[in-house]
């Protein structure tokens, strides 16, 4: 194994054949080994931060699969220690009230299901303290640490299991779902069995009040994706399951957080049922009721909330391409900025009882890391460095670009320059379009397996990440600008952004490629058809090709209707037809690479089959379809990600810098290390 590791590290700095690589620039191999912090929780006294570190598997070296997730703890001085590491999966985590133990979800060796574990921070092994017949999906500790609320899917009944074991494995679509239930389990000496708490519906999250007498739940009518997106509602119950109150929030939901005294519940919510993304910071009393928006008119989106004290909320607000850490009183007054909208992009905030904060943040120089902000301090300190090798990598310059769309709307995006440029020579461009469209790019770390901005820069490409109309980060009104108008003005914004980069003398208009996943895949298909004259290459990932069949075959028809379309295919068939890239396939002159996970429930793989066949039959430009067995709406396994990265960059190289014409061979040289003899 040691030899394999050395071989993989050795090739990490070798460019693939035929690709001009700037010395010291980032490589795709390095992208594949990049680690990132995914969640963090500060201890009650603020002295330590527990965090989950995502550690990718090494393609061709480790058994294939998703990235491992490890439990680490770092102190105020930046001394970090791994607690649960290696071939493991750590999920949600929290501190016990005593500050001496950490609770986390994991599936450990010898246990068939995910359960709750407790590990002492001053030394000792992790011990399973609670579990269910099925996987525990979420938990909430009682304020005294002596009980825990557990969520898990209802067990399959014995008759159904017996029939399935005899080969009756049929699935009844959208009917044979099993609800996620709620249990309360004792912790400590003489632990007993979990007690079932009856809840009407399927429970998505649980939050134990600091007062100890009630739980806030997010509940959906059914355990279907559509329900979890647009029909989730807040319910407040006592420990026996009796309803104490409810919140009839109008649409999508984000984080919930109780005030330290249990008197108020903060809820990140949509403004209305047509709001594409939760982002309003609201508060209710401990029995629910009507939500009060604490930041009315905010031209941004709140994505994380915590309480500084019983009267003050802390929140992370995404505003444009930056984020801001703010504070506001529970009554809506005394608003202030704690950390200005500059520097790292904050993903989440966690608060201790003494006012110290942990934040997860990233920047153009590094992926997500743990930061600490002491009480009264004005600058957050970075505590972790999960990728020390990045210090030896030359990273290309990244800047905010602002431009005006053809109808006068002011827009912005992020430009990653080529690492090296010959004088004022024009360069090839990869236009990277985000999904959603209720999402946006922030001025932080942009490089990943499906958008390799820094490796592309090392090969002489510029990459542009536009926040087109209907992106988040600019308030509710802006995010609704595409309502009932898919693929119209918002995709004009993409072409206008490219035109701006051409006009300032940076980009060669004849060497522009477009790529993106999901809604970004839809944009890529649009660029390859309707806007084909603007793009010399397209890479479409899990994208939309036919809007009507997407609504009728995907798993989010009501989300599509409520926040995007505003109508059904039978009510306005012409709109759906015109908004579908396959309708315009005859216009395509753009070589198009289509990639899709075969098990994608969100944008079913049939969308890519249709796009491929339409373009193939049109016969105007090369097209290739690559499918990933076992993958869903985005690739999760190391091998699938590595394959994707190589294919994306080779397609762009071939058609923007290379000979063009017929596609490159479909086989890839993965440059994997050879196994040791006898292994």
């Amino acid at each position: 194994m040691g030899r394999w590791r050395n071989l993989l590290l050795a090739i990490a700095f070798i460019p693939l054949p035929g690709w001009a690589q700037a010395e010291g620039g980032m490589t795709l191999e390095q992208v594949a080994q990049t680690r990132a912090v995914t969640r963090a929780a500060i201890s009650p006294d603020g002295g330590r931060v527990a965090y989950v570190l995502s550690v990718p598997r090494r393609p061709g070296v480790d058994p294939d699969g998703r990235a491992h997730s490890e439990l680490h703890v770092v102190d105020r001085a930046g001394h970090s220690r791994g607690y649960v590491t290696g071939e493991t999966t750590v999920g949600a985590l929290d501190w016990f009230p005593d500050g001496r133990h950490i609770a986390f979800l994991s599936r450990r060796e010898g246990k068939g299901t995910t359960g709750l574990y407790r590990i002492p921070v001053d030394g000792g092994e992790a011990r399973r303290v609670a579990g269910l017949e099925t996987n525990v999906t979420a938990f909430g500790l009682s304020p005294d640490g002596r009980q825990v609320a557990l969520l898990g899917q209802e067990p399959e009944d014995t008759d159904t299991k017996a029939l399935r074991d005899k080969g009756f494995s049929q699935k009844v679509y959208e009917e044979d779902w099993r609800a996620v239930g709620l249990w309360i389990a004792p912790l400590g000496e003489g632990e007993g069995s979990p007690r079932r708490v009856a809840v009407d519906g399927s429970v998505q999250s649980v939050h134990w009040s600091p007062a100890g007498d009630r739980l806030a739940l997010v509940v959906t009518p059914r355990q279907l994706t559509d329900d979890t997106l647009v029909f989730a509602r807040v319910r407040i119950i006592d420990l026996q399951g009796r309803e104490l109150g409810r919140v009839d929030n109008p649409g999508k939901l984000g984080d919930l957080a109780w005030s330290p005294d249990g008197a108020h519940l903060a809820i990140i919510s949509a403004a209305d049922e047509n709001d594409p993304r939760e982002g309003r910071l609201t508060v209710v009393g401990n029995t629910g009721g009507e939500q009060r928006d604490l930041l009315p008119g905010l031209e941004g989106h709140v994505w994380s909330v915590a309480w500084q004290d019983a009267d003050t909320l802390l929140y992370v607000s995404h505003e444009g391409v930056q984020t801001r850490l703010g504070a506001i009183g529970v009554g809506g007054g005394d608003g202030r900025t704690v950390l200005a909208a500059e520097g790292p992009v904050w993903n989440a905030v966690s608060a201790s009882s003494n006012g110290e904060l942990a934040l997860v943040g990233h920047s153009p120089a590094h992926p997500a890391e743990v930061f600490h902000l002491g009480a009264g301090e004005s600058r957050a300190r970075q505590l972790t460095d999960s990728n020390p090798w990045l210090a030896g990598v030359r990273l290309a310059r990244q800047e905010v670009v602002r431009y005006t769309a053809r109808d006068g709307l002011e827009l912005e995006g992020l430009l990653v320059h080529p690492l090296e440029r010959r004088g004022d020579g024009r360069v090839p461009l990869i236009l990277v379009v985000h999904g959603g469209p209720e999402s946006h790019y922030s001025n932080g770390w942009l490089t990943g397996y499906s958008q390799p901005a820094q490796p592309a820069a090392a090969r002489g490409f510029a990459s542009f990440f536009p926040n087109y109309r209907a992106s988040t980060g600019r308030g509710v009104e802006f995010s609704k600008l595409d309502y009932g108008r898919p693929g119209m003005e918002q995709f004009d914004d993409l072409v206008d952004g490219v035109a701006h980069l051409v006009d300032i003398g940076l980009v060669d208009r004849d060497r522009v490629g477009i790529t993106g996943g999901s809604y970004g895949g839809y944009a890529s298909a649009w660029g390859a058809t309707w806007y084909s004259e603007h793009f010399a290459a397209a890479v479409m990932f899990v994208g939309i090709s036919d809007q009507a069949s997407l609504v009728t075959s995907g798993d989010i028809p009501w989300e599509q209707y409520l926040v995007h379309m505003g109508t059904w295919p039978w009510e306005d068939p012409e709109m759906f037809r015109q908004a579908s890239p396959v309708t315009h396939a005859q216009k395509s002159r753009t070589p198009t690479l289509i990639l899709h996970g075969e098990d994608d429930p969100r944008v079913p793989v049939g969308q890519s089959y249709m796009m491929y066949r339409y373009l193939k039959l049109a016969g105007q430009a090369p097209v290739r379809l690559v499918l990933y067995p076992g993958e869903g709406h985005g690739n999760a396994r190391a091998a699938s990600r590595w394959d994707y990265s190589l294919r994306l960059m080779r397609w762009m190289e071939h058609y923007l810098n290379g000979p063009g014409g017929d596609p490159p061979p479909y086989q890839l040289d993965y440059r994997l290390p050879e196994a040791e003899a006898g292994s």
Side-chain angles (χ1 to χ4, degrees):
M1 180 63 77
R3 182 180 171 189
W4 281 8
R5 183 180 296 109
N6 292 337
L7 282 169
L8 186 62
L9 292 175
I11 68 168
F13 299 94
I14 300 176
L16 296 181
W19 293 354
Q21 176 86 17
E23 184 177 356
M26 196 171 193
T27 66
L28 291 177
E29 289 85 353
Q30 290 171 325
V31 174
Q33 63 178 304
T34 301
R35 302 179 173 197
V37 174
T38 59
R39 61 180 74 200
I42 196 167
S43 62
D45 67 357
R48 289 179 280 201
V49 181
Y51 65 97
V52 175
L53 181 67
S54 177
V55 180
R57 302 183 192 223
R58 296 161 296 174
V61 178
D62 299 325
D64 191 32
R66 294 172 176 265
H68 297 301
S69 51
E70 302 180 341
L71 173 62
H72 294 248
V73 176
V74 63
D75 64 19
R76 288 190 187 98
H79 301 130
S80 186
R81 171 188 163 194
Y83 279 67
V84 181
T85 61
E87 298 180 3
T88 187
T89 299
V90 173
L93 80 163
D94 198 2
W95 288 85
F96 276 87
D98 63 10
R100 296 187 293 111
H101 298 84
I102 299 169
F104 64 95
L105 295 181
S106 185
R107 179 184 295 183
R108 310 294 298 276
E109 186 177 353
K111 297 292 184 181
T113 60
T114 299
L116 181 73
Y117 288 78
R118 173 166 50 198
I119 189 168
V121 294
D122 293 327
E125 292 296 318
R127 186 169 69 90
R128 186 179 173 107
V129 293
L132 302 170
E133 289 184 51
T134 60
N135 292 325
V136 177
T137 58
F139 72 94
L141 292 172
S142 65
D144 61 5
R146 298 175 62 183
Q147 298 182 85
V148 63
L150 303 172
L151 300 185
Q153 193 173 47
E154 298 281 2
E156 188 175 46
D157 68 77
T158 54
D159 290 343
T160 301
K161 185 178 185 304
L163 286 169
R164 193 180 72 251
D165 291 343
K166 294 177 181 179
F168 295 95
S169 56
Q170 68 284 339
K171 298 178 181 179
V172 184
Y173 187 59
E174 292 189 346
E175 291 187 50
D176 60 1
W177 54 271
R178 285 183 283 150
V180 174
L182 169 67
W183 285 261
I184 293 179
L187 299 173
E189 297 299 327
E191 297 160 2
S193 300
R195 172 176 59 86
R196 179 77 165 83
V197 179
V199 176
D200 184 17
S202 190
V203 188
Q204 307 304 310
S205 67
V206 57
H207 309 264
W208 206 310
S209 167
D213 63 341
R214 64 195 63 203
L215 304 169
L217 308 176
V218 173
V219 182
T220 58
R222 303 168 297 171
Q223 191 56 34
L224 299 177
T225 303
D226 226 5
D227 286 25
T228 65
L229 284 176
V230 295
F231 299 131
R233 300 294 182 261
V234 177
R235 301 291 180 257
I236 299 172
I237 64 171
D238 68 14
L239 304 188
Q240 305 305 315
R242 292 183 290 266
E243 185 171 298
L244 302 177
R246 59 175 54 204
V247 182
D248 291 322
N249 50 285
K252 294 184 177 182
L253 276 174
D255 285 353
L256 275 63
W258 284 103
S259 61
D261 61 359
H264 296 93
L265 181 67
I267 303 171
I268 298 177
S269 171
D272 53 57
E273 69 174 6
N274 304 125
D275 188 351
R277 182 71 185 250
E278 68 280 3
R280 305 310 98 199
L281 179 59
T282 71
V283 68
V284 298
N286 64 5
T287 57
E290 186 176 350
Q291 296 168 265
R292 289 188 291 111
D293 188 347
L294 300 183
L295 300 166
L298 174 70
E299 293 188 355
H301 279 78
V302 174
W303 283 4
S304 181
V305 63
W307 288 81
Q308 185 176 45
D309 53 48
D311 299 314
T312 310
L313 297 92
L314 297 164
Y315 61 90
V316 172
S317 175
H318 286 248
E319 299 172 3
V321 295
Q322 304 290 351
T323 58
R324 179 173 63 92
L325 178 65
I328 193 166
V330 70
D334 301 321
R336 60 187 173 89
T337 293
V338 179
L339 294 174
E342 58 189 21
V345 173
W346 308 120
N347 293 338
V349 59
S350 173
S352 69
S353 58
N354 62 0
E356 299 192 47
L357 307 179
L359 300 112
V360 177
H362 58 100
S363 79
H366 62 79
E369 299 285 0
V370 178
F371 288 74
H372 181 271
L373 182 67
E377 294 180 350
S378 59
R379 186 177 183 85
R381 293 181 297 109
Q382 184 177 335
L383 297 184
T384 60
D385 182 8
S386 304
N387 302 283
W389 52 267
L390 270 174
V393 176
R394 294 173 59 206
L395 296 177
R397 181 166 62 95
Q398 181 171 310
E399 70 168 322
V400 180
V401 171
R402 295 180 174 87
Y403 64 99
T404 304
R406 63 190 66 183
D407 62 358
L409 185 65
E410 295 297 319
L411 300 168
E412 60 184 359
L414 296 159
L415 174 67
V416 178
H417 288 261
L419 189 56
E420 295 178 357
R421 182 183 177 192
R422 295 179 181 177
D424 294 330
R426 292 182 179 268
V427 301
L429 174 72
I430 300 175
L431 178 68
V432 188
V433 187
H434 67 68
E438 60 273 26
S439 180
H440 68 277
Y441 290 119
S442 295
N443 191 19
W445 187 257
L446 294 172
T447 294
Y449 82 94
S450 64
Q451 48 186 57
Q454 288 295 337
R459 295 178 189 134
F461 291 87
S463 295
F464 185 52
F465 299 78
N467 287 332
Y468 51 92
R469 73 188 69 201
S471 298
T472 49
R474 293 182 61 176
V476 176
E477 182 179 354
F478 187 87
S479 70
K480 289 183 175 182
L481 288 178
D482 72 325
Y483 185 69
R485 304 184 61 79
M488 297 184 188
E489 294 86 354
Q490 60 184 176
F491 290 167
D492 294 343
D493 295 344
L494 306 178
V495 172
D496 293 346
V498 173
H500 172 76
L501 298 178
V502 171
D503 290 344
I504 64 175
L506 174 66
V507 168
D508 181 346
R509 72 171 67 249
D510 296 324
R511 292 192 295 159
V512 179
I514 183 171
T515 189
S518 192
Y519 207 85
Y522 173 37
S524 301
W526 197 257
T529 54
W530 178 267
Y531 268 135
S532 182
E533 72 271 19
H534 294 276
F535 297 104
V539 177
M540 172 189 177
F541 187 34
V542 293
I544 303 164
S545 65
D546 181 72
Q547 287 284 5
S549 64
L550 174 70
V551 170
T552 53
S553 64
D555 62 357
I556 53 171
W558 279 101
E559 197 267 355
Q560 288 277 91
Y561 173 79
L562 289 172
V563 307
H564 295 305
M565 298 301 193
T567 187
W568 296 110
W570 52 89
E571 294 173 339
D572 192 352
E574 184 61 16
M575 186 271 281
F576 279 83
R577 194 182 76 85
Q578 287 298 328
S580 299
V582 293
T583 301
H584 314 290
Q586 286 289 341
K587 295 182 179 180
S588 180
R589 302 296 185 273
T590 302
T592 303
L593 174 63
I594 307 168
L595 307 103
H596 214 124
E598 283 192 331
D599 293 344
D600 186 352
R602 190 74 14 82
V603 178
V605 67
Q607 294 289 311
S608 284
Y609 280 123
M610 291 178 68
M611 187 69 179
Y612 170 80
R613 190 60 69 197
Y614 267 81
L615 293 179
K616 195 74 172 177
L617 293 175
Q620 303 296 325
V623 58
R624 173 172 291 160
L625 173 60
V626 179
L627 304 176
Y628 294 102
E631 297 287 10
H633 197 55
N635 290 351
R637 295 184 292 107
S640 298
R641 289 186 167 201
W642 181 233
D643 181 276
Y644 184 98
S645 295
L646 292 174
R647 291 188 188 278
L648 166 64
M649 283 309 306
R650 188 175 65 166
W651 198 264
M652 293 299 181
E653 283 280 350
H654 186 79
Y655 287 107
L656 303 188
N657 279 343
D662 292 336
Y666 73 83
Q667 302 95 335
L668 289 175
D669 177 7
Y670 293 108
R671 299 183 61 85
L672 300 176
E674 295 181 3
E676 295 172 323
S679 62

